[in-house]
Amino acid sequence: MDLQLAGKVVLVVGGHGLVGRAVVERLRDEGATVVPASRTAPDGLALDAADDASVAEGFAAVMREHGRLDGLVVTAAPSARTLDPTRNSEPAQVAEAFAGKTLTFLRLANAALEPMLQQGHGSIVGISGQGAFATGNIAGSVRNAALIVAAKHLADQAAGTGVTVNVVSPGLVTETPGAEVAHGGSGESRPADTASLVAFLLSPLAGAVSGESIAVGHRSRGYTGL
C-alpha cells in the first residue's frame, strides 16, 4: 500500500534509538525525506530536546533546508527500564521522568505546530507506552499518561486546521518479542510494528484521525476501558 509519504519532510527526534531507527527506516522506505535528530547525532540533526534554544534552532534549520515540515515524530525518551525500581514513588524520579518524556514532547510539538498551522497541514506523533495504563511504577506511568493527555490537548487546540496529533503506545519493544501475553500485562512487539503505525498516522490516508492514543502489542489483557 502506498502511504503517499513520498517527498514529505519528517523530523524524527530520538531518531537514533531503538524505535527511532525503525521509524526512520520505514519512512525512508516510503519515500519521505527524513531528518533524524538527537543530542549526539551521528547523522542528521544535533538537537537537545531539553533545551528551548536548541529546539528553536533545530526547527529553524529544517525550515531553512527544506522549506516545510510535514511530520514530527517524538521518540526521544529513555526506556522505562532505565528508571530505578527502588525509587518508583520518589518525587525526584517522578519529576525527572515527567520532564524527560512529557515536557520533551510538549516542547517539540509546540515548535512544530507553528509551521504546520501556517501550512494548513501536518502530523505530530508522540511515542508513549502502555505503562500509562498500569500501576506499579509511578514514574513510568505518570510520564506516559501525561504525554497522552498533553497530546489530546494539542489535538483539540489544532482541531479543524488540518494538523493532527496522535500517540502510539507500545508495550515492551524488542527485536525478538514473545507470543505470550500475561493476564494484566501487555503484549511485546518489534520496533518495526511501532514504525508501521507511526507511518500510517503520518500518512494522508489517516485522514482526520487526531487526538488518539493507539496501543501496539496486546493492550492490558483482562481489562477494558471505554
Side-chain angles (χ1 to χ4, degrees), residues 41-131:
D43 61 76
L45 179 68
L47 184 154
D48 182 354
D51 182 85
D52 289 334
S54 179
V55 169
E57 174 52 33
F59 277 80
V62 172
M63 294 302 293
R64 283 196 300 269
E65 181 171 354
H66 301 286
R68 55 191 282 186
L69 180 65
D70 302 297
L72 168 69
V73 181
V74 181
T75 178
S79 165
R81 286 170 286 179
T82 64
L83 299 174
D84 184 349
T86 68
R87 300 172 58 214
N88 277 343
S89 61
E90 186 178 301
Q93 177 161 263
V94 174
E96 183 180 347
F98 173 80
K101 190 159 193 175
T102 307
L103 296 187
T104 288
F105 169 78
L106 191 56
R107 187 176 293 111
L108 293 164
N110 281 334
L113 278 172
E114 182 177 353
M116 289 182 179
L117 290 172
Q118 290 176 356
Q119 295 167 173
H121 73 272
S123 298
I124 298 170
V125 181
I127 307 298
S128 179
Q130 293 195 40

